[in-house]
Amino acid sequence: MENVLRPLTVIGGSVALTLAFVWAVDWLLRRAAARHRETPLWHLLRRCRLPLLLVLLTALLRGSYRQTEWKVIEDHETGIGRTLSLTMIGAGAWLVIRIAAAIVESSYAKYASGTRDTARVRRVRTQVTLIMRIVTAVVAVVAAAAMLLTFPDFRSIGTSMLASAGIIGIVAGVAAQSTLGNLFAGFQIAFGDMVRIGDTVVVDGEWGVVEEVTLTYLAVRTWDERRITMPVSYFTSKPFENWSRGGAQMTGTVFFHLDHTAPVAEMRDKLKEILADCSAWDGRDWSLAVTDTTPTTIQVRAVVTAKDADDIWTARCAVREQMLSWLSERHPYALPRIATAPAAVAPARSRARRDDRPPRPEELHSNNSDAYVEHVDDAEDELPRTGRG
């Protein structure tokens, strides 16, 4: 009878004690989470119940399994003890990772809820993500090394390996040069604030948003839902565009190639009208100017502003579409055409413009530039919005 009761007492007692302790810890965490709702740490720590249960149970069984005095256990004592040790080490590493993740996520959530600067939030998110990956990698390596040391054969191998550690280190350094370069580049990206999760970037001519940052690679989601995976060393060795640095607001341009008779002044008024009805325009600035000319066309540049990259794209598309529609409907003569093709006749000017007057002599000779003074007929007229550049 004792041969049955003793194993049941040892195993059953270990299980009961473990369940009671884990239940008590979970009850305390629930009480703390209910009392401090502003802090998500206590709720996140409840995720550690399963690894905590495994650690406690394997630790109790590891210390008491010999007391069962079962013949089966005595015959396989070494294997059972090693299995319990390996399980305890693995569960311990799992528990440490869960606790670290709870602390990091709680700190990030508290920081994000109290900060309105989205750029700082993205920077902190990138840093905590990489910190968690580093912690996970370090804990996994330490746990694997601890598991290997439980085998006597590996202990003797480890002693001989230490003697040749210098040669092995050189060979490993040469073989893993690219991997180590990406690893250090990941640290540089995380704490150098070069690129963050959620940043809008242009790499190799592709426009997208940074979706994931790891210690070795970075994933960019393009506008058409493709994923570009690039080594992090690319962002430390080659130039790239980061549209989210220094604020998300942006300035965009729309170019029109038109005939020389295009009504630039009326286009300027139409651009102002289009932007007034465009929700993507942030109201900061706008302009329209002739920036270049060829023997057959002129280049007209419209400048608009928006609060971020998505809105600047929307505003540019709206200006381009509505301006071309207005030109084709109201001013078809302004569209570019082949010189030999028949064209619509431009409307007659209602009054002579100041640009139609003959040039003065001082305007034609560069050596008289010091004496040149521009004459403005209507001093009260508002100057056109031409923008910078």
Side-chain angles (χ1 to χ4, degrees):
M1 188 66 178
E2 183 179 357
N3 292 336
V4 178
L5 291 178
R6 182 183 293 272
L8 292 177
T9 302
V10 172
I11 298 175
S14 300
V15 173
L17 186 60
T18 301
L19 293 176
F21 183 81
V22 172
W23 179 86
V25 172
D26 185 60
W27 180 79
L28 291 175
L29 292 176
R30 288 201 309 267
R31 290 286 301 272
R35 185 172 299 178
H36 304 282
R37 296 184 182 276
E38 74 283 358
T39 303
L41 175 62
W42 310 112
H43 178 72
L44 293 173
L45 284 175
R46 294 189 62 201
R47 301 177 183 176
C48 304
R49 289 172 294 177
L50 183 57
L52 177 62
L53 187 146
L54 288 176
V55 169
L56 291 177
L57 183 58
T58 52
L60 291 174
L61 291 177
R62 181 68 178 83
S64 61
Y65 77 99
R66 292 188 181 89
Q67 306 301 323
T68 58
E69 297 183 0
W70 264 1
K71 182 174 177 54
V72 176
I73 294 178
E74 292 176 352
D75 293 341
H76 303 85
E77 180 178 347
T78 304
I80 294 174
R82 185 170 298 160
T83 302
L84 291 174
S85 298
L86 294 175
T87 305
M88 184 173 61
I89 294 172
W94 186 15
L95 179 62
V96 171
I97 292 174
R98 282 289 180 89
I99 293 175
I103 295 174
V104 170
E105 289 182 25
S106 175
S107 302
Y108 169 73
K110 189 175 181 179
Y111 180 84
S113 62
T115 304
R116 296 184 178 180
D117 190 347
T118 56
R120 287 189 175 183
V121 172
R122 291 200 305 269
R123 180 182 63 187
V124 173
R125 180 185 174 189
T126 304
Q127 291 176 352
V128 299
T129 300
L130 290 177
I131 288 173
M132 257 323 298
R133 294 184 184 275
I134 294 171
V135 170
T136 302
V138 170
V139 172
V141 170
V142 172
M147 289 180 178
L148 292 177
L149 291 177
T150 59
F151 296 90
D153 295 339
F154 279 97
R155 294 177 186 174
S156 58
I157 294 176
T159 304
S160 60
M161 288 177 63
L162 288 175
S164 57
I167 299 176
I168 294 176
I170 294 174
V171 174
V174 174
Q177 182 178 3
S178 177
T179 302
L180 292 176
N182 285 327
L183 182 64
F184 288 111
F187 281 103
Q188 188 174 353
I189 286 178
F191 299 101
D193 198 23
M194 299 174 57
V195 62
R196 299 160 297 207
I197 295 175
D199 280 2
T200 302
V201 297
V202 178
V203 290
D204 282 346
E206 294 283 354
W207 179 92
V209 178
V210 178
E211 189 175 51
E212 184 180 6
V213 179
T214 69
L215 291 177
T216 56
Y217 70 89
L218 189 147
V220 178
R221 185 184 74 251
T222 61
W223 65 272
D224 54 355
E225 300 299 329
R226 290 180 292 117
R227 301 301 191 276
I228 301 177
T229 302
M230 309 188 71
V232 293
S233 58
Y234 175 91
F235 294 88
T236 59
S237 60
K238 296 183 180 180
F240 65 96
E241 296 182 30
N242 189 338
W243 291 7
S244 300
R245 292 280 296 182
Q249 59 187 19
M250 299 192 66
T251 299
T253 58
V254 180
F255 289 95
F256 301 96
H257 295 273
L258 305 174
D259 188 78
H260 289 85
T261 58
V264 178
E266 295 179 35
M267 289 180 62
R268 194 171 290 117
D269 296 335
K270 182 60 179 178
L271 175 62
K272 186 176 181 180
E273 178 184 338
I274 293 172
L275 293 178
D277 297 332
C278 181
S279 59
W281 181 54
D282 62 358
R284 286 191 296 120
D285 194 17
W286 67 274
S287 65
L288 187 139
V290 178
T291 56
D292 198 4
T293 181
T294 68
T296 56
T297 61
I298 61 173
Q299 185 183 73
V300 180
R301 183 192 68 181
V303 177
V304 296
T305 58
K307 63 180 178 62
D308 55 31
D310 291 336
D311 280 357
I312 199 66
W313 174 264
T314 303
R316 291 172 63 196
C317 291
V319 169
R320 187 181 297 110
E321 178 181 345
Q322 296 183 42
M323 185 67 75
L324 287 177
S325 177
W326 176 76
L327 286 173
S328 62
E329 180 181 352
R330 300 289 183 88
H331 305 278
Y333 61 88
L335 299 178
R337 59 183 182 269
I338 300 175
T340 57
V345 180
R349 302 294 184 181
S350 59
R351 60 184 179 88
R353 299 178 58 86
R354 62 184 179 184
D355 297 330
D356 297 332
R357 60 175 172 76
R360 294 186 293 274
E362 61 268 22
E363 296 176 347
L364 300 177
H365 302 282
S366 60
N367 57 353
N368 296 328
S369 59
D370 296 336
Y372 169 70
V373 178
E374 182 180 6
H375 298 277
V376 180
D377 297 334
D378 300 325
E380 297 181 356
D381 290 347
E382 180 183 357
L383 295 178
R385 300 292 294 263
T386 60
R388 290 176 289 180

